[in-house]
CSV table of all heavy atoms in Angstrom, one decimal:
chain,number,residue,atom,x,y,z
A,193,SER,N,-41.1,-86.1,148.3
A,193,SER,CA,-41.6,-86.7,147.1
A,193,SER,C,-40.7,-87.9,146.6
A,193,SER,O,-39.7,-88.1,147.3
A,193,SER,CB,-41.7,-85.6,146.0
A,193,SER,OG,-40.6,-85.2,145.7
A,194,ALA,N,-41.1,-88.5,145.6
A,194,ALA,CA,-40.2,-89.6,145.1
A,194,ALA,C,-38.9,-89.1,144.8
A,194,ALA,O,-38.8,-88.0,144.1
A,194,ALA,CB,-40.9,-90.2,143.9
A,195,PRO,N,-37.8,-89.8,145.1
A,195,PRO,CA,-36.5,-89.3,144.9
A,195,PRO,C,-36.1,-89.2,143.4
A,195,PRO,O,-36.6,-90.1,142.6
A,195,PRO,CB,-35.5,-90.3,145.6
A,195,PRO,CG,-36.4,-91.6,145.7
A,195,PRO,CD,-37.8,-91.1,145.9
A,196,ASP,N,-35.4,-88.3,142.9
A,196,ASP,CA,-34.9,-88.1,141.5
A,196,ASP,C,-33.6,-88.9,141.5
A,196,ASP,O,-32.5,-88.6,142.2
A,196,ASP,CB,-34.7,-86.6,141.3
A,196,ASP,CG,-34.3,-86.4,139.8
A,196,ASP,OD1,-34.0,-87.3,139.2
A,196,ASP,OD2,-34.3,-85.3,139.4
A,197,PRO,N,-33.5,-89.8,140.5
A,197,PRO,CA,-32.2,-90.6,140.4
A,197,PRO,C,-31.1,-89.6,140.2
A,197,PRO,O,-29.9,-90.0,140.6
A,197,PRO,CB,-32.4,-91.4,139.1
A,197,PRO,CG,-34.0,-91.7,139.0
A,197,PRO,CD,-34.6,-90.4,139.6
A,198,GLY,N,-31.2,-88.4,139.5
A,198,GLY,CA,-30.2,-87.5,139.2
A,198,GLY,C,-29.6,-86.8,140.5
A,198,GLY,O,-28.5,-86.3,140.5
A,199,ASN,N,-30.4,-87.0,141.6
A,199,ASN,CA,-29.9,-86.4,142.9
A,199,ASN,C,-29.4,-87.4,143.9
A,199,ASN,O,-29.1,-87.2,145.1
A,199,ASN,CB,-31.0,-85.6,143.6
A,199,ASN,CG,-31.4,-84.3,142.8
A,199,ASN,OD1,-30.5,-83.8,142.2
A,199,ASN,ND2,-32.6,-84.0,142.7
A,200,VAL,N,-29.4,-88.7,143.5
A,200,VAL,CA,-28.9,-89.9,144.3
A,200,VAL,C,-27.7,-90.5,143.8
A,200,VAL,O,-27.6,-90.6,142.5
A,200,VAL,CB,-30.1,-91.0,144.4
A,200,VAL,CG1,-29.6,-92.2,145.2
A,200,VAL,CG2,-31.4,-90.4,144.8
A,201,ARG,N,-26.7,-90.8,144.7
A,201,ARG,CA,-25.5,-91.2,144.3
A,201,ARG,C,-25.5,-92.8,144.3
A,201,ARG,O,-26.0,-93.5,145.2
A,201,ARG,CB,-24.4,-90.8,145.3
A,201,ARG,CG,-24.2,-89.3,145.3
A,201,ARG,CD,-23.5,-88.8,146.6
A,201,ARG,NE,-24.4,-89.0,147.7
A,201,ARG,CZ,-24.2,-88.5,149.0
A,201,ARG,NH1,-23.0,-87.9,149.2
A,201,ARG,NH2,-25.0,-88.7,150.0
A,202,PRO,N,-25.0,-93.4,143.3
A,202,PRO,CA,-24.9,-94.9,143.2
A,202,PRO,C,-23.9,-95.4,144.2
A,202,PRO,O,-23.1,-94.7,144.7
A,202,PRO,CB,-24.5,-95.1,141.7
A,202,PRO,CG,-23.8,-94.0,141.3
A,202,PRO,CD,-24.4,-92.8,142.0
A,203,LEU,N,-23.8,-96.8,144.4
A,203,LEU,CA,-23.1,-97.3,145.3
A,203,LEU,C,-21.5,-97.0,145.1
A,203,LEU,O,-20.8,-96.7,146.1
A,203,LEU,CB,-23.3,-98.9,145.4
A,203,LEU,CG,-22.4,-99.7,146.3
A,203,LEU,CD1,-22.8,-99.2,147.8
A,203,LEU,CD2,-22.7,-101.2,146.1
A,204,LYS,N,-21.1,-97.1,143.9
A,204,LYS,CA,-19.6,-96.9,143.7
A,204,LYS,C,-19.2,-95.4,144.1
A,204,LYS,O,-18.1,-95.2,144.6
A,204,LYS,CB,-19.2,-97.0,142.2
A,204,LYS,CG,-19.9,-96.1,141.2
A,204,LYS,CD,-19.5,-96.4,139.8
A,204,LYS,CE,-20.1,-95.5,138.8
A,204,LYS,NZ,-19.6,-95.8,137.4
A,205,VAL,N,-20.2,-94.4,143.9
A,205,VAL,CA,-19.8,-93.0,144.4
A,205,VAL,C,-20.0,-93.0,146.0
A,205,VAL,O,-19.2,-92.2,146.6
A,205,VAL,CB,-20.9,-92.1,143.8
A,205,VAL,CG1,-20.6,-90.6,144.3
A,205,VAL,CG2,-20.7,-92.1,142.2
A,206,LEU,N,-20.9,-93.6,146.5
A,206,LEU,CA,-21.1,-93.6,148.0
A,206,LEU,C,-19.9,-94.2,148.7
A,206,LEU,O,-19.4,-93.8,149.8
A,206,LEU,CB,-22.3,-94.4,148.4
A,206,LEU,CG,-23.7,-93.8,148.0
A,206,LEU,CD1,-24.9,-94.7,148.3
A,206,LEU,CD2,-23.9,-92.4,148.6
A,207,ARG,N,-19.2,-95.2,148.0
A,207,ARG,CA,-17.9,-95.7,148.7
A,207,ARG,C,-16.9,-94.6,148.7
A,207,ARG,O,-16.2,-94.5,149.7
A,207,ARG,CB,-17.4,-96.9,147.8
A,207,ARG,CG,-18.4,-98.2,147.9
A,207,ARG,CD,-17.7,-99.3,147.1
A,207,ARG,NE,-18.6,-100.5,147.1
A,207,ARG,CZ,-18.8,-101.3,148.0
A,207,ARG,NH1,-18.1,-101.2,149.2
A,207,ARG,NH2,-19.6,-102.4,147.8
A,208,LYS,N,-16.8,-93.8,147.6
A,208,LYS,CA,-15.9,-92.7,147.6
A,208,LYS,C,-16.2,-91.6,148.7
A,208,LYS,O,-15.4,-91.0,149.3
A,208,LYS,CB,-15.8,-92.1,146.2
A,208,LYS,CG,-15.2,-93.0,145.1
A,208,LYS,CD,-15.3,-92.3,143.8
A,208,LYS,CE,-14.8,-93.2,142.7
A,208,LYS,NZ,-14.9,-92.6,141.4
A,209,THR,N,-17.5,-91.4,148.7
A,209,THR,CA,-18.0,-90.4,149.8
A,209,THR,C,-17.6,-90.8,151.2
A,209,THR,O,-17.2,-90.0,151.9
A,209,THR,CB,-19.6,-90.4,149.7
A,209,THR,OG1,-19.9,-89.7,148.5
A,209,THR,CG2,-20.2,-89.4,150.9
A,210,LEU,N,-17.8,-92.2,151.5
A,210,LEU,CA,-17.4,-92.6,152.8
A,210,LEU,C,-15.9,-92.3,153.1
A,210,LEU,O,-15.6,-91.9,154.3
A,210,LEU,CB,-17.7,-94.1,153.0
A,210,LEU,CG,-17.4,-94.7,154.4
A,210,LEU,CD1,-18.3,-93.9,155.4
A,210,LEU,CD2,-17.7,-96.1,154.3
A,211,GLU,N,-15.1,-92.6,152.2
A,211,GLU,CA,-13.6,-92.4,152.3
A,211,GLU,C,-13.3,-90.9,152.6
A,211,GLU,O,-12.4,-90.6,153.4
A,211,GLU,CB,-12.9,-92.9,151.2
A,211,GLU,CG,-12.9,-94.5,151.0
A,211,GLU,CD,-12.3,-95.1,152.2
A,211,GLU,OE1,-11.3,-94.7,152.8
A,211,GLU,OE2,-13.0,-96.1,152.8
A,212,LEU,N,-14.0,-90.1,151.8
A,212,LEU,CA,-13.9,-88.6,152.0
A,212,LEU,C,-14.3,-88.2,153.4
A,212,LEU,O,-13.6,-87.5,154.1
A,212,LEU,CB,-14.7,-87.9,150.9
A,212,LEU,CG,-14.7,-86.4,151.0
A,212,LEU,CD1,-13.2,-85.8,150.9
A,212,LEU,CD2,-15.7,-85.8,150.1
A,213,LEU,N,-15.4,-88.7,153.9
A,213,LEU,CA,-16.0,-88.3,155.3
A,213,LEU,C,-15.1,-88.8,156.4
A,213,LEU,O,-14.9,-88.2,157.3
A,213,LEU,CB,-17.4,-89.0,155.3
A,213,LEU,CG,-18.4,-88.3,154.4
A,213,LEU,CD1,-19.9,-88.9,154.8
A,213,LEU,CD2,-18.5,-86.8,154.6
A,214,LYS,N,-14.5,-90.0,156.1
A,214,LYS,CA,-13.5,-90.5,157.2
A,214,LYS,C,-12.3,-89.6,157.3
A,214,LYS,O,-11.9,-89.3,158.4
A,214,LYS,CB,-13.1,-92.0,156.7
A,214,LYS,CG,-14.1,-93.1,156.9
A,214,LYS,CD,-13.8,-94.3,156.1
A,214,LYS,CE,-12.5,-94.9,156.6
A,214,LYS,NZ,-12.2,-96.2,155.9
A,215,GLN,N,-11.8,-89.2,156.2
A,215,GLN,CA,-10.7,-88.2,156.2
A,215,GLN,C,-11.1,-86.9,156.8
A,215,GLN,O,-10.3,-86.3,157.6
A,215,GLN,CB,-10.1,-88.1,154.9
A,215,GLN,CG,-8.8,-87.3,154.7
A,215,GLN,CD,-7.6,-88.1,155.6
A,215,GLN,OE1,-7.5,-89.3,155.5
A,215,GLN,NE2,-6.9,-87.3,156.5
A,216,LYS,N,-12.2,-86.4,156.4
A,216,LYS,CA,-12.7,-85.1,157.0
A,216,LYS,C,-12.8,-85.1,158.5
A,216,LYS,O,-12.6,-84.2,159.2
A,216,LYS,CB,-13.9,-84.6,156.2
A,216,LYS,CG,-13.7,-84.2,154.8
A,216,LYS,CD,-14.7,-83.1,154.4
A,216,LYS,CE,-14.2,-82.4,153.1
A,216,LYS,NZ,-15.0,-81.1,152.9
A,217,TRP,N,-13.5,-86.3,158.9
A,217,TRP,CA,-13.6,-86.4,160.4
A,217,TRP,C,-12.4,-86.4,161.2
A,217,TRP,O,-12.2,-85.9,162.1
A,217,TRP,CB,-14.4,-87.6,160.7
A,217,TRP,CG,-14.7,-87.8,162.2
A,217,TRP,CD1,-14.3,-88.9,162.9
A,217,TRP,CD2,-15.4,-87.1,163.1
A,217,TRP,NE1,-14.7,-88.9,164.2
A,217,TRP,CE2,-15.3,-87.6,164.4
A,217,TRP,CE3,-16.1,-85.9,163.0
A,217,TRP,CZ2,-15.9,-87.1,165.5
A,217,TRP,CZ3,-16.6,-85.2,164.1
A,217,TRP,CH2,-16.6,-85.9,165.3
A,218,LYS,N,-11.4,-87.2,160.6
A,218,LYS,CA,-10.1,-87.2,161.2
A,218,LYS,C,-9.4,-85.8,161.2
A,218,LYS,O,-8.8,-85.5,162.2
A,218,LYS,CB,-9.2,-88.2,160.4
A,218,LYS,CG,-7.8,-88.4,161.0
A,218,LYS,CD,-7.0,-89.4,160.1
A,218,LYS,CE,-5.6,-89.5,160.6
A,218,LYS,NZ,-4.8,-90.5,159.8
A,219,ASP,N,-9.6,-85.1,160.1
A,219,ASP,CA,-8.8,-83.7,160.0
A,219,ASP,C,-9.6,-82.7,160.7
A,219,ASP,O,-9.0,-81.8,161.3
A,219,ASP,CB,-8.7,-83.4,158.6
A,219,ASP,CG,-7.7,-84.4,157.8
A,219,ASP,OD1,-7.1,-85.1,158.5
A,219,ASP,OD2,-7.8,-84.5,156.6
A,220,GLU,N,-10.9,-82.6,160.6
A,220,GLU,CA,-11.6,-81.4,161.1
A,220,GLU,C,-12.6,-81.6,162.3
A,220,GLU,O,-12.8,-80.7,163.0
A,220,GLU,CB,-12.5,-80.9,159.9
A,220,GLU,CG,-11.8,-80.6,158.6
A,220,GLU,CD,-12.7,-80.4,157.4
A,220,GLU,OE1,-13.9,-80.3,157.6
A,220,GLU,OE2,-12.2,-80.3,156.2
A,221,LYS,N,-13.0,-82.8,162.6
A,221,LYS,CA,-13.8,-83.1,163.7
A,221,LYS,C,-15.1,-82.2,163.8
A,221,LYS,O,-15.5,-81.7,164.9
A,221,LYS,CB,-13.0,-82.9,165.0
A,221,LYS,CG,-12.0,-83.9,165.1
A,221,LYS,CD,-12.4,-85.4,165.5
A,221,LYS,CE,-11.2,-86.3,165.7
A,221,LYS,NZ,-11.7,-87.7,165.9
A,222,ASN,N,-15.7,-81.8,162.6
A,222,ASN,CA,-16.8,-81.0,162.5
A,222,ASN,C,-18.1,-81.9,162.6
A,222,ASN,O,-18.5,-82.4,161.5
A,222,ASN,CB,-16.7,-80.2,161.3
A,222,ASN,CG,-18.0,-79.2,161.2
A,222,ASN,OD1,-19.0,-79.4,161.9
A,222,ASN,ND2,-17.9,-78.2,160.4
A,223,TYR,N,-18.5,-82.2,163.8
A,223,TYR,CA,-19.7,-83.1,163.9
A,223,TYR,C,-21.0,-82.7,163.2
A,223,TYR,O,-21.6,-83.5,162.5
A,223,TYR,CB,-20.0,-83.4,165.3
A,223,TYR,CG,-21.2,-84.4,165.5
A,223,TYR,CD1,-20.9,-85.7,165.3
A,223,TYR,CD2,-22.3,-84.1,166.0
A,223,TYR,CE1,-21.9,-86.7,165.2
A,223,TYR,CE2,-23.4,-84.9,166.1
A,223,TYR,CZ,-23.2,-86.2,165.7
A,223,TYR,OH,-24.1,-87.2,165.9
A,224,THR,N,-21.3,-81.4,163.2
A,224,THR,CA,-22.4,-81.0,162.5
A,224,THR,C,-22.5,-81.3,161.1
A,224,THR,O,-23.4,-81.9,160.4
A,224,THR,CB,-22.7,-79.5,162.7
A,224,THR,OG1,-22.8,-79.0,164.1
A,224,THR,CG2,-24.0,-79.0,162.0
A,225,PHE,N,-21.3,-81.1,160.4
A,225,PHE,CA,-21.1,-81.3,159.0
A,225,PHE,C,-21.1,-82.8,158.7
A,225,PHE,O,-21.8,-83.4,157.9
A,225,PHE,CB,-19.8,-80.7,158.5
A,225,PHE,CG,-19.5,-81.2,157.2
A,225,PHE,CD1,-20.0,-80.6,156.0
A,225,PHE,CD2,-18.5,-82.2,156.9
A,225,PHE,CE1,-19.7,-81.1,154.7
A,225,PHE,CE2,-18.1,-82.6,155.7
A,225,PHE,CZ,-18.6,-82.0,154.6
A,226,ILE,N,-20.4,-83.6,159.5
A,226,ILE,CA,-20.3,-85.0,159.3
A,226,ILE,C,-21.6,-85.8,159.6
A,226,ILE,O,-21.9,-86.7,158.8
A,226,ILE,CB,-19.1,-85.7,160.3
A,226,ILE,CG1,-17.7,-85.2,159.8
A,226,ILE,CG2,-19.2,-87.1,160.4
A,226,ILE,CD1,-17.4,-85.9,158.5
A,227,CYS,N,-22.4,-85.3,160.5
A,227,CYS,CA,-23.6,-86.0,160.8
A,227,CYS,C,-24.5,-85.7,159.7
A,227,CYS,O,-25.3,-86.7,159.2
A,227,CYS,CB,-24.2,-85.5,162.1
A,227,CYS,SG,-25.9,-86.2,162.6
A,228,ASP,N,-24.6,-84.6,159.1
A,228,ASP,CA,-25.5,-84.2,158.0
A,228,ASP,C,-25.1,-85.0,156.8
A,228,ASP,O,-26.0,-85.6,156.1
A,228,ASP,CB,-25.3,-82.7,157.7
A,228,ASP,CG,-26.2,-82.3,156.5
A,228,ASP,OD1,-27.5,-82.0,156.8
A,228,ASP,OD2,-25.7,-82.2,155.4
A,229,GLN,N,-23.8,-85.1,156.6
A,229,GLN,CA,-23.3,-85.9,155.4
A,229,GLN,C,-23.6,-87.4,155.5
A,229,GLN,O,-24.0,-88.1,154.6
A,229,GLN,CB,-21.8,-85.7,155.2
A,229,GLN,CG,-21.4,-84.3,154.8
A,229,GLN,CD,-22.0,-83.9,153.4
A,229,GLN,OE1,-21.9,-84.7,152.4
A,229,GLN,NE2,-22.6,-82.8,153.2
A,230,PHE,N,-23.5,-87.9,156.7
A,230,PHE,CA,-23.8,-89.4,157.0
A,230,PHE,C,-25.2,-89.6,156.8
A,230,PHE,O,-25.7,-90.7,156.3
A,230,PHE,CB,-23.3,-89.8,158.4
A,230,PHE,CG,-21.9,-90.6,158.4
A,230,PHE,CD1,-20.8,-89.8,158.6
A,230,PHE,CD2,-21.8,-91.8,158.0
A,230,PHE,CE1,-19.5,-90.4,158.7
A,230,PHE,CE2,-20.6,-92.5,158.0
A,230,PHE,CZ,-19.5,-91.7,158.3
A,231,LYS,N,-26.1,-88.8,157.3
A,231,LYS,CA,-27.6,-88.9,157.0
A,231,LYS,C,-27.9,-88.9,155.6
A,231,LYS,O,-28.8,-89.7,155.2
A,231,LYS,CB,-28.4,-87.8,157.8
A,231,LYS,CG,-28.2,-87.9,159.3
A,231,LYS,CD,-28.9,-86.8,160.1
A,231,LYS,CE,-30.4,-86.9,159.9
A,231,LYS,NZ,-31.1,-85.9,160.9
A,232,SER,N,-27.3,-88.1,154.8
A,232,SER,CA,-27.4,-88.0,153.4
A,232,SER,C,-27.0,-89.3,152.7
A,232,SER,O,-27.7,-89.9,151.9
A,232,SER,CB,-26.7,-86.8,152.7
A,232,SER,OG,-26.9,-86.8,151.4
A,233,LEU,N,-25.8,-89.8,153.2
A,233,LEU,CA,-25.4,-91.1,152.6
A,233,LEU,C,-26.3,-92.2,152.9
A,233,LEU,O,-26.6,-93.0,152.1
A,233,LEU,CB,-23.9,-91.3,153.3
A,233,LEU,CG,-23.1,-92.4,152.6
A,233,LEU,CD1,-21.6,-92.1,153.1
A,233,LEU,CD2,-23.4,-93.8,152.9
A,234,ARG,N,-26.8,-92.3,154.2
A,234,ARG,CA,-27.8,-93.3,154.6
A,234,ARG,C,-29.0,-93.2,153.8
A,234,ARG,O,-29.6,-94.2,153.5
A,234,ARG,CB,-28.1,-93.2,156.0
A,234,ARG,CG,-26.8,-93.6,157.0
A,234,ARG,CD,-27.1,-93.1,158.5
A,234,ARG,NE,-28.4,-93.1,158.9
A,234,ARG,CZ,-28.8,-92.4,160.0
A,234,ARG,NH1,-27.9,-91.8,160.8
A,234,ARG,NH2,-30.0,-92.5,160.4
A,235,GLN,N,-29.4,-92.0,153.5
A,235,GLN,CA,-30.7,-91.8,152.7
A,235,GLN,C,-30.5,-92.4,151.3
A,235,GLN,O,-31.4,-93.0,150.8
A,235,GLN,CB,-31.1,-90.4,152.7
A,235,GLN,CG,-32.5,-90.1,152.0
A,235,GLN,CD,-32.6,-88.6,151.9
A,235,GLN,OE1,-32.0,-87.8,151.2
A,235,GLN,NE2,-33.7,-88.1,152.8
A,236,ASP,N,-29.3,-92.1,150.7
A,236,ASP,CA,-29.1,-92.7,149.4
A,236,ASP,C,-29.1,-94.2,149.4
A,236,ASP,O,-29.5,-94.8,148.3
A,236,ASP,CB,-27.8,-92.1,148.8
A,236,ASP,CG,-28.0,-90.6,148.3
A,236,ASP,OD1,-29.0,-90.1,148.4
A,236,ASP,OD2,-26.9,-90.0,147.9
A,237,LEU,N,-28.5,-94.7,150.4
A,237,LEU,CA,-28.6,-96.2,150.5
A,237,LEU,C,-30.1,-96.7,150.6
A,237,LEU,O,-30.4,-97.7,150.0
A,237,LEU,CB,-27.8,-96.7,151.7
A,237,LEU,CG,-26.3,-96.5,151.6
A,237,LEU,CD1,-25.6,-96.8,153.0
A,237,LEU,CD2,-25.7,-97.5,150.6
């Protein structure tokens, strides 16, 4: 259905999300988690 603004992250938050995901990929290498998070990030964009 139409996205709810309350469930979507604005650009400034998405920038912080990307930095967090970069560090988590470096530290944990959990592809299932990282892929899911990147798809969510792409969707918000």
Side-chain angles (χ1 to χ4, degrees):
S193 60
D196 179 354
N199 294 327
V200 177
R201 296 159 293 185
L203 182 57
K204 64 180 181 180
V205 176
L206 293 176
R207 292 186 187 279
K208 295 178 183 178
T209 293
L210 182 62
E211 292 305 312
L212 175 65
L213 296 182
K214 286 164 62 175
Q215 190 60 47
K216 286 211 167 192
W217 177 243
K218 179 180 178 181
D219 295 341
E220 302 172 11
K221 295 291 185 180
N222 183 340
Y223 180 68
T224 300
F225 169 80
I226 287 294
C227 184
D228 181 81
Q229 291 295 312
F230 263 96
K231 289 176 71 170
S232 176
L233 196 162
R234 285 161 41 192
Q235 184 181 69
D236 283 358
L237 288 170

